[in-house]
Amino acid sequence: MNAEALPAGQLACLLYDAADGLCADVAAVMLIDRHGHFLHQPAFRRLIAAGSSITTGQPLAVIRWTAAIHALEAGQLPASGSEQAILRIAASLGDPAIPVHLRTVLGNLDTRNITLVATAITTANG
């Protein structure tokens, strides 16, 4: 399965399926999905690993968060300041090894995006 070829809605479903049961992972996927930018970007889609569950054989997809942050920092993932902030927050939720400096990223967000982040944080908290 190729994440780049899937419709964004189907890809989002596969990401949610893989995150199911892990509140922070669901929150990270939800933030990326509801933000509406990254799942439509070919450069971001290349950072998604798609395949099948080893237990059920069902298709799944996961965002390689560390690779996404590296691509962002290397200029290989075009994004505005607010898009970068959303990705950094989502990556921090999706991978506990990725820090985010809220003071730095929150100043770039409008009301809609702040609401998305607040919802994601609430979701991550269970």
Side-chain angles (χ1 to χ4, degrees):
M1 175 183 352
N2 181 351
E4 294 178 64
L6 294 172
Q10 184 178 357
L11 182 56
C13 286
L14 296 176
L15 291 167
Y16 280 113
D17 286 348
D20 189 41
L22 302 169
C23 294
D25 290 352
V26 170
V29 169
M30 183 178 65
L31 182 55
I32 290 296
D33 177 35
R34 291 184 179 174
H35 181 260
H37 173 75
F38 290 101
L39 292 183
H40 299 281
Q41 294 298 318
F44 183 76
R45 286 169 164 256
R46 286 190 287 275
L47 304 170
I48 297 174
S52 299
S53 166
I54 59 171
T55 56
T56 66
Q58 294 297 314
L60 294 173
V62 294
I63 298 168
R64 297 182 303 124
W65 295 112
T66 300
I69 295 301
H70 285 295
L72 184 66
E73 291 173 351
Q76 298 168 341
L77 189 57
S80 69
S82 66
E83 291 162 351
Q84 289 181 37
I86 292 293
L87 180 57
R88 289 181 188 285
I89 294 166
S92 176
L93 290 168
D95 184 338
I98 298 174
V100 65
H101 301 282
L102 290 176
R103 183 176 180 162
T104 304
V105 296
L106 292 179
N108 291 324
L109 301 179
D110 60 15
T111 302
R112 176 186 177 270
N113 287 322
I114 285 288
T115 301
L116 291 173
V117 168
T119 301
I121 290 169
T122 302
T123 299
N125 193 45

